Amino acid sequence: MSVKSVWRTHYQNGFRVNQELGMPYHLYCGLKATLMALPYGVFISSLGPNWSWWGLLSGGLLWLFFCFNFEIYVHQHMQTGTLAAMRVSKGQWLTRLGGTGLICGVFVYLHIFFIAAP
């Protein structure tokens, strides 16, 4: 197989449910990267007196960095056969989502009532 066909197969299989992870691994990497980059982007956006788009830009770049690194990490675990150790339960995903929402909510609250307050 050529390198191109190996990467094409890897990309296509990323949208199929992986039995070891319990979800498509592109979705896994995207969710994990989002939960890590979103609070950073909201924090940067909330620093100035006006809501800044710099947070969206820096959070988006950080998301790309995390997502690319998680893809490499998943690919390495797939090659060694240790992908099942990375599986995250639905309760853990909900806990992480709640924590991310809480952190973002605190930053938005501080921005509205303390930083941008007249």
Side-chain angles (χ1 to χ4, degrees):
M1 285 178 100
S2 68
V3 174
K4 183 178 177 181
S5 64
V6 168
W7 279 107
R8 183 183 303 133
T9 304
H10 175 72
Y11 177 76
Q12 290 171 347
N13 289 340
F15 292 106
R16 297 186 181 104
V17 175
N18 186 298
Q19 296 304 318
E20 292 178 272
L21 275 181
M23 62 176 28
Y25 61 82
H26 288 326
L27 178 64
Y28 173 84
C29 295
L31 280 174
K32 198 168 178 182
T34 300
L35 293 177
M36 293 179 73
L38 187 65
Y40 174 77
V42 171
F43 172 71
I44 297 299
S45 292
S46 67
L47 287 178
N50 297 325
W51 197 258
S52 169
W53 287 102
W54 289 110
L56 180 64
L57 177 67
S58 61
L61 291 174
L62 189 65
W63 182 87
L64 284 173
F65 175 76
F66 281 146
C67 199
F68 182 71
N69 282 325
F70 290 142
E71 287 277 344
I72 292 171
Y73 189 63
V74 165
H75 187 67
Q76 290 173 345
H77 278 277
M78 286 173 63
Q79 288 178 336
T80 59
T82 58
L83 195 58
M86 295 175 59
R87 187 176 184 136
V88 180
S89 69
K90 290 180 185 173
Q92 288 174 323
W93 279 119
L94 290 175
T95 303
R96 290 176 181 182
L97 182 65
T100 299
L102 182 67
I103 291 169
C104 291
V106 167
F107 290 144
V108 170
Y109 175 82
L110 290 174
H111 176 74
I112 290 173
F113 293 106
F114 295 104
I115 297 173

